Amino acid sequence: MQILQGKKILLGISGGIAAYKTPELVRRLKEKGADVRVVMTEGAKAFITPLTLQAVSANAVSDSLLDTQAELAMGHIELAKWADFILIAPATADIIAKIAAGMANDLLTTLCLATAAPIAIAPAMNQQMWHSQATQKNINTLTAWQYTLFGPGAGEQACGDVGLGRMLDVPELVDLTCQAIAAGNNNTSVEQKPLTGQKWVITAGPTREAIDPVRYISNHSSGKMGFAIAAAAQELGAEVTIISGPVNLTTPLNCKKIAVNSAIEMHQQALTYAPTSDVFVACAAVADYRIDNIANEKIKKSQDTMQLNLIKNPDIVADVAALENKPFTVGFAAETQDVKHYAQDKLARKNLDMIAANNVATVGQGFNSDNNALTVFTPNNEKELSLMNKSELAKQLVQYIHQTLLGSQ
Ligand code: C5P
């Protein structure tokens, strides 16, 4: 069955340049089985036409509160009741302010008041507008009212500025919508969220060690395992921070992501966040070495051979495990041979509480794969988690970490 099969999604579009991405968003949501109805503000229609959205959604587009014909076809209260989920993308500073003020002077704001469905907003605005006190206050109001925030992302903006405020890309919005709807379906109660009140910090992905301004040394880590652990811990109630090298993944719902490049940056962030955390999971494939002298200019091709001088990177997980007030510390061991021997050696040498070992030489698991199998060692125990997809495996690992942590207290 498709993941959004039978789900009724109301997409609210407000007037920002990112509105040009919404026909694609509608198509991707429909591809996953959703029935999508579109509501546009007056501003949205300056950027994209209702006809386009009607064509891709295969439903009439609603844009007015006072249109007698439209009210006759599907009145605003009926529309508010129809939706299983409302996504406002792009959500401008203006629509966010109106919703936070409880206004109902157009169709979209009225629907927000009249619906019982969960509402997610994907902000899209200039970085200065995003950081303004007014917008931040409004966002805090909406999140306190259980609105879900999708993004915003960082990067180059239509106005030429660089910073936070970009609407997330369509695949990310679709992923987050699926996650939010799945979380709503699970309807996990507080009792079923045993990690409530715990802070988890997870390193993920590869690191990039610069050679010069255009080149680097890295590895094949996709970050999927670390992100799956983050999602699983968050679903069980933990407050999750992911410290991630460059990856091509959607940050799981309600997790905070700190983006880093090099091992030194990851080390710095890990030692900032780890001391106040309960659990630290080192899932990143950290480069063991970095370039001694990073060239300021692009290195020119000359001789047939060249040498790079490498120096050892700090061991992030070992430094976290050496903290006076250390969190429950979990490492990973990706090995191609003698997995048990090397994993147990790392567990002891790095002073870890647990290590999850996988054999990356086995086809169909480990790096870049969607599946993995782990053998998990604690100083006194060994547990097999057999080959399964990384998100299911992550759930089992998070539960095992939690049980072990409870047993150790
Ligand atoms: O690279 P190695 O096999 O030693 O990695 C084992 C564990 O140590 C992993 O959890 C990895 O994230 C962590 N590690 C680290 N900092 C390093 C090297 C590895 O945190 N510099």
Side-chain angles (χ1 to χ4, degrees):
M1 193 177 90
Q2 288 166 301
I3 195 153
L4 297 178
Q5 193 66 48
K7 293 290 167 204
K8 299 187 191 103
I9 298 180
L10 196 147
L11 175 65
I13 306 177
S14 62
I17 179 60
Y20 82 89
K21 296 182 181 177
T22 53
E24 182 67 13
L25 176 58
V26 172
R27 291 194 55 196
R28 298 290 156 249
L29 292 171
K30 281 179 68 75
E31 241 171 44
K32 294 208 178 287
D35 186 4
V36 182
R37 283 183 176 270
V38 175
V39 171
M40 299 177 79
T41 64
E42 277 309 305
K45 290 190 283 180
F47 290 92
I48 188 145
T49 70
L51 188 60
T52 306
L53 287 148
Q54 177 180 305
V56 288
S57 69
N59 276 319
V61 169
S62 312
D63 57 3
S64 168
L65 190 56
L66 306 171
D67 179 329
T68 46
Q69 283 308 312
E71 278 296 300
L72 210 56
M74 192 186 251
H76 61 278
I77 298 295
E78 216 179 325
L79 195 53
K81 285 186 177 154
W82 172 87
D84 294 320
F85 188 79
I86 296 184
L87 169 60
I88 303 180
T92 58
D94 180 66
I95 196 84
I96 290 169
K98 282 181 179 151
I99 300 169
M103 290 176 73
N105 62 346
D106 68 2
L107 182 58
L108 187 53
T109 49
T110 304
L111 290 171
C112 289
L113 287 183
T115 192
I119 306 177
I121 53 171
M125 67 197 75
N126 164 271
Q127 50 88 23
Q128 196 73 42
M129 293 171 74
W130 170 253
H131 289 296
S132 74
Q133 286 191 353
T135 303
Q136 287 305 307
K137 180 170 171 280
N138 293 332
I139 288 289
N140 288 339
T141 302
L142 295 188
T143 48
W145 291 346
Q146 310 305 321
Y147 278 59
T148 305
L149 206 55
F150 288 178
E156 195 173 336
Q157 307 197 301
C159 55
D161 278 10
V162 176
L164 266 184
R166 274 172 60 94
M167 187 173 85
L168 295 183
D169 286 331
V170 167
E172 292 180 281
L173 292 177
V174 173
D175 271 4
L176 290 171
T177 303
C178 294
Q179 283 183 39
I181 289 177
N185 285 348
N186 281 345
N187 215 0
T188 319
S189 66
V190 175
E191 304 83 71
Q192 291 166 308
K193 292 193 167 193
L195 307 187
T196 304
Q198 287 186 15
K199 287 187 180 161
W200 286 48
V201 175
I202 297 158
T203 67
T207 64
R208 279 185 186 171
E209 308 302 329
I211 299 172
D212 66 16
V214 293
R215 305 179 180 98
Y216 57 82
I217 298 175
S218 191
N219 59 62
H220 290 297
S221 169
S222 62
K224 284 178 188 167
M225 193 66 221
F227 276 55
I229 293 170
Q234 196 283 328
E235 263 168 45
L236 291 180
E239 184 185 322
V240 178
T241 304
I242 312 172
I243 304 172
S244 176
V247 293
N248 206 355
L249 296 172
T250 305
T251 305
L253 205 58
N254 300 327
C255 292
K256 173 173 176 177
K257 181 179 129 176
I258 313 281
V260 295
N261 276 306
S262 65
I264 293 287
E265 286 168 22
M266 189 176 275
H267 183 253
Q268 196 183 12
Q269 295 294 341
L271 289 180
T272 303
Y273 284 91
T276 51
S277 69
D278 300 286
V279 176
F280 183 84
V281 185
C283 207
V286 184
D288 291 328
Y289 292 89
R290 68 180 181 278
I291 308 296
D292 190 4
N293 268 316
I294 303 172
N296 289 328
E297 305 295 339
K298 186 181 169 194
I299 300 170
K300 288 288 174 202
K301 196 169 10 179
S302 54
Q303 286 109 332
D304 285 348
T305 61
M306 72 174 288
Q307 285 187 335
L308 292 172
N309 225 3
L310 302 175
I311 46 174
K312 210 170 192 173
N313 270 326
D315 193 311
I316 300 168
V317 75
D319 285 354
V320 167
L323 289 170
E324 204 177 315
N325 206 354
K326 77 162 183 164
F328 186 88
T329 309
V330 183
F332 269 75
E335 305 292 346
T336 53
Q337 54 171 334
D338 236 347
V339 176
K340 179 170 179 170
H341 169 74
Y342 285 116
Q344 285 181 325
D345 170 63
K346 273 175 201 169
L347 180 74
R349 190 163 37 82
K350 300 192 186 203
N351 189 30
L352 308 179
D353 299 297
M354 183 182 280
I355 192 154
N358 57 346
N359 188 336
V360 284
T362 311
V363 178
Q365 68 183 58
F367 277 156
N368 241 324
S369 165
D370 286 332
N371 296 321
N372 206 359
L374 294 171
T375 312
V376 187
F377 300 92
T378 58
N380 312 315
N381 257 319
E382 177 176 338
K383 183 182 171 72
E384 288 294 333
L385 299 177
S386 58
L387 187 66
M388 62 191 106
N389 75 49
K390 284 182 176 172
S391 89
E392 188 47 43
L393 186 68
K395 283 183 195 159
Q396 296 198 9
L397 179 63
V398 165
Q399 262 151 3
Y400 187 55
I401 293 172
H402 178 57
Q403 276 167 22
T404 313
L405 178 58
L406 282 182
S408 71
Q409 281 168 345

